[in-house]
Amino acid sequence: MARGMSKSEVARELGVARQTVATWEQKLAEGGKESLKRGDLGRPRQLDTEQERELGKVLMAGALAAGYPTELWTLPRIGKVITKQFGVEYSTGHLWHLLRRLGFSCQKPEKRAIQRNEAEIVRWKRHGWPGLKKKPSEKAAPSSSSTNPD
C-alpha cells in the first residue's frame, strides 16, 4: 500500500481478505511495525507457569498423597485436583495438552493379579517349565547304525 497498491490488490497478492489488510493498516498506523507481529495464538492459558509447576509437583507426589485410594492418576482425577487447588476447570481433552506440556505421557498399568508371587514365578520358570517341555523321543532320533532297506 506504501507503493500505491489498493487494499484489494494487496489482499489478492497475499491471499487474504480485504478486511484483513484494512486491519493491518489500522494497526500499523496506531502502533507501528511492532504491532503487526504475531501474538500468542489460541486461547490464553488458564494456569500460569508457577501454577503448572505446582501441579507437576502434586502429580509427582502421587494420587495417594492427593487423597485417592489408589496410586493411579486418571484425567478426571487430575481435573478434580486442578479445580480444587486452582479453581480452574479443564476438559479431559485439554488436560492431555497440559500434561504433555508438563512432560507427562500416557501410561497404562500392567494387568497383574494382586496375589502375584514373583519369587514363585521365577522358581517355576527355572524348575517346573523345563520339565513340561517336549523332549525328542528315542524313536524320533535318527540312528547312525540303521541301514536303508532299499
Side-chain angles (χ1 to χ4, degrees):
M1 288 181 355
R3 288 187 244 137
M5 292 176 73
S6 70
K7 289 181 184 106
S8 297
E9 291 171 320
V10 172
R12 250 190 317 278
E13 183 78 24
L14 297 175
V16 297
R18 190 185 54 73
Q19 183 57 43
T20 302
V21 176
T23 302
W24 291 343
E25 182 182 40
Q26 184 180 357
K27 281 186 173 185
L28 185 62
E30 291 173 0
K33 285 185 181 180
E34 195 65 31
S35 66
L36 293 176
K37 288 188 177 180
R38 179 178 279 189
D40 291 332
L41 298 177
R43 193 173 178 185
R45 292 183 179 181
Q46 291 180 290
L47 299 178
D48 62 30
T49 307
E50 184 56 39
Q51 289 172 322
E52 287 183 359
R53 199 172 297 125
E54 191 177 330
L55 174 62
K57 289 177 184 177
V58 169
L59 296 177
M60 291 302 293
L64 288 173
Y68 290 100
T70 65
E71 200 54 75
L72 180 69
W73 277 120
T74 63
L75 291 177
R77 282 183 178 185
I78 295 169
K80 287 177 186 174
V81 167
I82 292 172
T83 301
K84 181 179 173 187
Q85 194 151 352
F86 304 108
V88 174
E89 287 191 27
Y90 276 92
S91 69
T92 53
H94 190 76
L95 281 172
W96 283 114
H97 299 288
L98 173 63
L99 293 173
R100 201 171 306 125
R101 189 169 56 245
L102 295 176
F104 292 96
S105 63
C106 178
Q107 306 289 317
K108 281 179 100 174
E110 289 187 29
K111 293 181 180 178
R112 293 189 170 180
I114 295 172
Q115 308 87 343
R116 187 178 169 99
N117 182 337
E118 294 296 329
E120 182 61 23
I121 292 170
V122 170
R123 187 203 64 73
W124 186 82
K125 282 181 178 178
R126 285 192 186 141
H127 304 293
W129 176 246
L132 295 175
K133 284 184 177 179
K134 285 188 178 180
K135 295 177 183 158
S137 65
E138 289 186 26
K139 290 180 186 177
S143 173
S144 60
S145 61
S146 67
T147 58
N148 192 350
D150 291 330

